[in-house]
Amino acid sequence: MIKNLNKLFLTKYSRKTFLKILSFGLMSLFLSTVKSKELFAKTTKQLEPRKKRNIQTICDLVAVHGDNIETMAKKIINELGGIEKFVKKGDTVVIKPNIGWNREPEYAANTNPILVAAVVKLCLKAGAKKVKVFDNTCNEEKMCYKNSGIEKAVKEAGGDIFFPDRWKYYAANFKTNAQMQDFPIYSDAVNCDCFINIPIAKTHGHTKLTLSIKNLMGVCGGNRATMHWDIDKKLPEVLAFIKPDLNIIDGYRILIRNGPRGGNLGDVKKTSILIASADAVLADSYASQTLYQINPENIGHIKEAAISGLGSMNINKANIKTFKI
Amino acid sequence: MKIKIFKILIQSASFVIICFLLWYLRYPLHHFFNAALLFQLSPVITIAANFLSAALIPAVILLIITFIFGRIFCGWICPYGTVMDIVSFFTGIFKKNKETFPKKKSLKYFLLALLILLTALNFQLFWLFEPITIFARGFYFTFYSAANNLSNDFFYYLMSNNPGRITEGIYQISKSIVIENRELFFSNSLSMFIIFILPLFMLLFKRRFWCRYICPLGAVLSIIAAKSLLERKSGECIAKCGQCKDLCRMNAIKDDNTYIKQECILCMDCIQETKCINKYKSEFSFKKPIICNLQKKENPAEKKTGNGISRKEFLSWLIVSAGFIFIALKNKTGSKKANIIRPPGTSGENDLKQKCIRCGNCIKVCVTNGLQPVMLESGTDGIWTPKLDAKTGYCEYECVLCGHVCPTQAIKKLTVKEKMKTKIGIAKIQKNACISWHDGLECLVCEEHCPIPEKAVKVKKEIINGELVKVPYIEESLCIGCSICQNKCPVEGTKGIIVESL
């Protein structure tokens, strides 16, 4: 091969061949740059806030006590008006559970896998084209997905569970002066027909409680640690951007101390309740009042969200149904 | 000719299998068939690890195989040898070389003796010369990380602009099977690559230069192989044309067509009928068991022309080894300021430096990319030992992978429960950097992430700048030093919480 290369350099070229070679080289260079610019152009795509369908549920909030999570999940959605109200045929559904930590389900750090699987099954039954499940985890993602049991449960239910891809985080078009301007949002969370938010109720050192509004942090990218600065203002902005269609708070097992990561079975309390509402603020207020006996007025981000008109914090006025199975 | 093709097939198959093992040394890990087994094959690593029982069995199996077949490992299995064969095939030097006999082959035995001596003097240096680890380091920290990061970047640019159905499919498959969904970073990988590439430059002078003169693993195996059962038969050859002598990549064949048994790596080069003028084929066949061979005594004249060393060589090597031993005894302690956090399961700095063979298994398998090779921070005998670097990652609370892949048990196999109680460092709040302590902003990311069930990072209320603010503080008896708090701390520059070694 080296000998052949030598030949290439030693032969004398006429002017014509020289020009041919030159033009060929220039052409290929030009084409390659044009093509590569197309390929590697910087993205200027910006996400717009999610368009939410106008869904009127039968009542504002449903709470179900019971022991069988699957029947509880079915009951709770039926009482709100049935899954058909939220999921139409051919829809792309995004389910956002809490898979933040590398813990087993019984430690109540992640959403109960049975509940996630039950909701996935219901969505598929209602004719959803695709059910996507993901979370931006705090610990190592593979371990979180596996040890939380959600990966296996969702796959068995027929859902689509995946790790968030770096390239799907887009800059989001928040309103000007928004605190969240520097944080990109995962595009799948916005480009979907139905967004179902399934958090687990836990205590949190900073925000006191982590419920459905706090769970939406999992669709944000960027340096999420800095999101904790002034988080009470930032979380309502995310809620206004995503506008989840349905929030189901997993209160089957809850963390009452040392949240959000837990790790002690003594900190886990079995309350056997599911709370569902189309209004994230109302669901959070109800959960904080009934599960933790904390007035939602004292929880910064819930109060902020209610003030910006994203939902109602007034439990007494709302139409609430409770059931026991 | 058939046996040559068979040998090439076996060699490439074992190369592929070894690369496969090294590539898939990551979570989720098979607890028995992982790359640690490959490293335990090498008796040199067994010596380095002070003859640990766990690492003993595969090495003994290799020695038995060597006793039966000779240095078949060097020619057929050794991945670094395969790399050398590939390189010398492409440089074309493979065919040109005219070999002359005799050449001194004693250097590798000398080096082996020196390394064993140094190990006895608590200065283990096998890691610099062990061929499997050299290959593994080159593979992990250059090839694997480059392939992973480049394909990650490629897909990132491709998918963020042209997300088509086919590219998406390729991406999903490669993400789930081939590449990792993260960028990898390994510090000091250039020094490892230099050690990987230097012996390949030696191929410009001689084929298999490393295997002939330096390799300590080859030295161990050739001591056994000198008495092996499989032998090359060439007594009938009368031509003495010297063709097979030139073909031999180990330069093991003498002018009179006999060969030095312990140098032969059974590469089957001398069995090429086409090259031989007389169409004579040399053969490998098993000799009779040793018991029947007792009467046959070696020719005393042959012994004199063996691979002895002269007085001059002896003296020069004495000086070199004296230098090594001087370094070993003198220059051991690293600077005490260096804040080196060792992975959980190590028992003491000296024990780690002694047993660690620097294969890089723990560093590669670390799920958070937190383990990094150190350079000179921990002394000259601590080069490339693993440390936990909170800049790149942290120690996952329920993960014990590094102990499970360590071939020499420098990092012990811990159960998850044991590991949860293993202290590797202590976190300290930096009150003039922490955003809560200094600026009075509520943050508490360290408290959120602390994996200890009772929380080693606790919260109290303190008046900062005239306001009552929640601030973190450390419960030192609970902290195990996993460094997740430092890793996740949002403060840029000096972190608000820093983990210090014990």
Side-chain angles (χ1 to χ4, degrees):
Chain A
M1 210 177 102
I2 294 162
K3 275 179 191 170
N4 290 337
L5 268 178
N6 272 343
K7 260 183 210 167
L8 200 73
F9 288 114
L10 290 175
T11 41
K12 284 180 180 172
Y13 294 106
S14 65
R15 188 185 299 141
K16 203 176 163 189
T17 37
F18 171 73
L19 283 174
K20 261 185 195 169
I21 290 169
L22 190 70
S23 56
F24 179 74
L26 282 175
M27 271 301 277
S28 55
L29 201 67
F30 174 74
L31 281 176
S32 64
T33 46
V34 167
K35 197 68 199 158
S36 68
K37 259 184 194 169
E38 249 174 47
L39 269 175
F40 300 119
K42 216 183 168 191
T43 39
T44 47
K45 268 184 222 169
Q46 256 204 338
L47 285 180
E48 295 299 323
R50 199 175 85 85
K51 280 170 198 121
K52 189 186 172 181
R53 283 185 197 142
N54 193 15
I55 299 167
Q56 287 298 322
T57 50
I58 292 171
C59 53
D60 292 336
L61 187 142
V62 181
V64 174
H65 297 263
D67 274 325
N68 190 333
I69 300 174
E70 211 165 334
T71 49
M72 280 158 80
K74 270 178 198 164
K75 172 89 180 162
I76 208 163
I77 289 172
N78 276 337
E79 290 304 322
L80 279 173
I83 191 74
E84 290 78 16
K85 218 158 204 171
F86 301 99
V87 180
K88 303 273 183 296
K89 219 165 194 184
D91 273 6
T92 309
V93 182
V94 166
I95 292 175
K96 163 71 183 71
N98 189 336
I99 329 176
W101 308 101
N102 177 12
R103 288 262 196 253
E104 283 76 29
E106 51 269 23
Y107 288 98
N110 302 316
T111 309
N112 202 314
I114 305 167
L115 174 61
V116 181
V119 177
V120 170
K121 271 181 209 159
L122 281 176
C123 292
L124 287 173
K125 219 177 175 185
K129 193 177 70 185
K130 210 169 192 186
V131 180
K132 297 175 176 178
V133 184
F134 65 87
D135 192 7
N136 189 351
T137 60
C138 295
N139 286 150
E140 214 281 325
E141 50 187 20
K142 276 182 253 167
M143 288 187 159
C144 290
Y145 274 44
K146 196 187 166 199
N147 289 341
S148 67
I150 293 177
E151 188 173 31
K152 201 182 158 202
V154 169
K155 269 185 188 162
E156 276 170 7
D160 195 12
I161 185 162
F162 54 86
F163 303 116
D165 298 314
R166 204 156 51 108
W167 48 271
K168 270 191 180 170
Y169 286 102
Y170 289 132
N173 190 13
F174 288 103
K175 59 181 186 287
T176 42
N177 298 330
Q179 302 257 12
M180 280 296 293
Q181 264 173 346
D182 298 338
F183 297 94
I185 298 280
Y186 199 68
S187 59
D188 278 7
V190 175
N191 301 327
C192 62
D193 302 306
C194 178
F195 189 100
I196 300 176
N197 191 14
I198 315 182
I200 181 165
K202 291 185 288 181
T203 58
H204 192 275
H206 186 191
T207 59
K208 282 185 187 163
L209 291 180
T210 130
L211 297 163
S212 44
I213 302 176
K214 175 77 171 56
N215 190 40
L216 290 176
M217 232 179 122
V219 301
C220 308
N223 185 0
R224 293 198 308 157
T226 50
M227 240 183 106
H228 285 82
W229 302 346
D230 230 346
I231 197 165
D232 294 346
K233 295 246 168 58
K234 284 174 184 163
L235 286 177
E237 282 166 15
V238 183
L239 176 64
F241 199 86
I242 300 291
K243 285 175 263 172
D245 293 308
L246 177 61
N247 305 282
I248 307 173
I249 295 177
D250 171 18
Y252 188 74
R253 278 186 283 244
I254 63 167
L255 263 183
I256 48 170
R257 273 184 301 273
N258 294 328
R261 202 172 166 167
N264 235 343
L265 286 176
D267 297 337
V268 180
K269 191 176 157 195
K270 204 177 166 204
T271 43
S272 314
I273 186 174
L274 293 184
I275 298 161
S277 170
D279 182 352
V281 184
L282 186 70
D284 282 11
S285 312
Y286 183 81
S288 68
Q289 191 71 265
T290 51
L291 294 176
Y292 294 95
Q293 286 81 44
I294 300 174
N295 190 354
E297 295 269 350
N298 295 337
I299 297 167
H301 63 270
I302 299 180
K303 200 183 165 192
E304 279 300 327
I307 288 169
S308 15
L310 296 166
S312 125
M313 210 166 60
N314 198 336
I315 305 165
N316 300 329
K317 270 190 182 174
N319 179 11
I320 295 171
K321 279 186 191 169
T322 49
F323 296 93
K324 214 162 204 171
I325 300 177
Chain B
M1 206 60 197
K2 264 180 194 166
I3 187 115
K4 174 101 182 170
I5 293 163
F6 178 67
K7 176 245 167 185
I8 290 170
L9 277 177
I10 293 281
Q11 194 177 10
S12 27
S14 57
F15 188 71
V16 169
I17 289 168
I18 286 167
C19 288
F20 183 85
L21 276 177
L22 298 180
W23 186 281
Y24 286 101
L25 188 87
R26 64 189 192 199
Y27 182 82
L29 187 77
H30 193 287
H31 277 280
F32 183 69
F33 284 107
N34 64 48
L37 208 65
L38 169 73
F39 293 96
Q40 286 171 355
L41 266 182
S42 161
V44 168
I45 291 176
T46 315
I47 298 168
N50 306 330
F51 300 102
L52 269 169
S53 57
L56 210 60
I57 301 154
V60 168
I61 290 169
L62 179 63
L63 290 181
I64 290 168
I65 289 170
T66 310
F67 180 69
I68 298 168
F69 295 105
R71 282 171 72 180
I72 203 160
F73 177 84
C74 301
W76 293 40
I77 297 164
C78 179
Y80 203 39
T82 311
V83 170
M84 284 181 192
D85 284 349
I86 293 165
V87 170
S88 39
F89 181 78
F90 280 109
T91 46
I93 291 159
F94 206 72
K95 278 149 197 166
K96 277 180 207 163
N97 247 30
K98 271 258 171 198
E99 297 289 356
T100 48
F101 207 83
K103 284 280 178 308
K104 294 279 183 222
K105 305 278 168 46
S106 54
L107 176 57
K108 58 173 178 282
Y109 302 110
F110 199 89
L111 190 69
L112 178 69
L114 175 64
L115 291 175
I116 290 174
L117 186 68
L118 283 171
T119 306
L121 283 168
N122 275 349
F123 189 79
Q124 196 247 110
L125 209 66
F126 275 113
W127 50 270
L128 197 56
F129 297 99
E130 214 287 324
I132 307 177
T133 60
I134 292 177
F135 176 77
R137 283 192 300 259
F139 186 88
Y140 287 159
F141 303 125
T142 316
F143 179 70
Y144 179 80
S145 60
N148 184 61
N149 290 3
L150 283 176
S151 40
N152 253 322
D153 282 350
F154 175 74
F155 280 123
Y156 174 66
Y157 285 115
L158 193 72
M159 298 304 288
S160 53
N161 296 289
N162 296 22
R165 189 175 282 177
I166 298 163
T167 43
E168 170 106 35
I170 295 167
Y171 172 68
Q172 290 300 345
I173 289 167
S174 65
K175 190 176 77 164
S176 56
I177 304 171
V178 190
I179 60 170
E180 289 183 61
N181 191 20
R182 57 174 178 156
E183 296 267 313
L184 294 165
F185 169 79
F186 298 112
S187 54
N188 302 319
S189 54
L190 181 65
S191 62
M192 294 174 178
F193 183 65
I194 288 169
I195 297 297
F196 175 77
I197 209 84
L198 267 182
L200 301 183
F201 275 111
M202 291 174 193
L203 296 176
L204 291 170
F205 308 109
K206 291 276 184 280
R207 292 167 290 168
R208 288 260 190 172
F209 184 97
W210 171 270
C211 313
R212 288 184 197 181
Y213 303 113
I214 300 167
C215 183
L217 175 59
V220 173
L221 294 184
S222 63
I223 290 168
I224 307 281
K227 299 268 180 261
S228 67
L229 300 179
L230 195 67
E231 263 187 332
R232 175 176 176 268
K233 298 270 159 59
S234 61
E236 288 164 40
C237 177
I238 30 158
K240 307 266 190 304
C241 59
Q243 282 285 350
C244 39
K245 191 188 77 183
D246 286 345
L247 280 170
C248 182
R249 61 185 81 183
M250 286 299 284
N251 196 15
I253 300 175
K254 293 178 189 172
D255 290 328
D256 60 346
N257 209 4
T258 54
Y259 85 129
I260 310 169
K261 199 170 167 189
Q262 64 265 37
E263 290 301 319
C264 176
I265 58 166
L266 292 100
C267 63
M268 303 295 158
D269 276 341
C270 51
I271 313 195
Q272 294 186 38
E273 288 168 74
T274 44
K275 299 255 176 173
C276 186
I277 292 168
N278 287 5
K279 301 280 171 206
Y280 173 77
K281 199 173 94 181
S282 50
E283 276 179 343
F284 281 89
S285 60
F286 285 101
K287 70 177 177 187
K288 286 170 198 167
I290 312 164
I291 309 150
C292 314
N293 243 8
L294 272 175
Q295 300 99 325
K296 193 188 164 192
K297 281 186 178 173
E298 277 182 58
N299 195 357
E302 213 173 82
K303 253 190 176 173
K304 268 184 187 172
T305 55
N307 291 312
I309 51 170
S310 68
R311 187 185 299 145
K312 194 175 144 196
E313 282 166 341
F314 178 74
L315 281 175
S316 57
W317 275 102
L318 196 69
I319 292 163
V320 170
S321 44
F324 265 111
I325 289 165
F326 181 74
I327 295 168
L329 296 178
K330 195 87 181 165
N331 203 357
K332 279 194 68 170
T333 45
S335 81
K336 276 178 185 162
K337 275 184 190 172
N339 186 19
I340 296 167
I341 301 158
R342 297 297 187 186
T346 54
S347 45
E349 280 284 288
N350 277 334
D351 185 74
L352 174 71
K353 285 171 182 173
Q354 270 299 297
K355 285 183 184 165
C356 180
I357 195 75
R358 278 78 154 169
C359 57
N361 275 357
C362 51
I363 296 164
K364 159 116 196 296
V365 85
C366 184
V367 287
T368 63
N369 198 207
L371 287 183
Q372 297 290 345
V374 297
M375 204 60 208
L376 285 162
E377 296 103 294
S378 64
T380 40
D381 57 345
I383 295 174
W384 299 341
T385 45
K387 76 160 179 184
L388 182 64
D389 193 341
K391 286 188 196 90
T392 55
Y394 58 91
C395 189
E396 185 79 47
Y397 190 55
E398 297 183 356
C399 162
V400 283
L401 289 178
C402 49
H404 279 272
V405 297
C406 184
T408 62
Q409 290 301 295
I411 304 172
K412 283 187 194 65
K413 248 183 207 171
L414 298 175
T415 58
V416 177
K417 270 187 184 164
E418 281 169 345
K419 192 250 156 176
M420 284 171 177
K421 280 166 193 150
T422 311
K423 232 178 161 80
I424 53 174
I426 279 184
K428 296 254 162 79
I429 302 259
Q430 309 292 310
K431 287 190 181 170
N432 47 6
C434 175
I435 197 147
S436 298
W437 278 97
H438 188 256
D439 301 325
L441 250 169
E442 272 192 16
C443 171
L444 296 182
V445 174
C446 43
E447 192 262 353
E448 180 184 357
H449 282 88
C450 184
I452 315 290
E454 289 83 25
K455 296 273 175 203
V457 184
K458 290 197 186 306
V459 185
K460 64 179 173 186
K461 285 193 174 171
E462 193 99 344
I463 296 167
I464 312 281
N465 299 342
E467 268 184 71
L468 198 67
V469 185
K470 281 185 199 164
V471 289
Y473 71 99
I474 308 286
E475 186 72 48
E476 292 201 351
S477 58
L478 289 173
C479 181
I480 59 165
C482 71
S483 304
I484 192 172
C485 45
Q486 186 184 348
N487 183 249
K488 303 277 179 184
C489 180
V491 181
E492 277 170 26
T494 315
K495 295 283 180 182
I497 187 164
I498 284 176
V499 180
E500 288 170 6
S501 55
L502 291 170

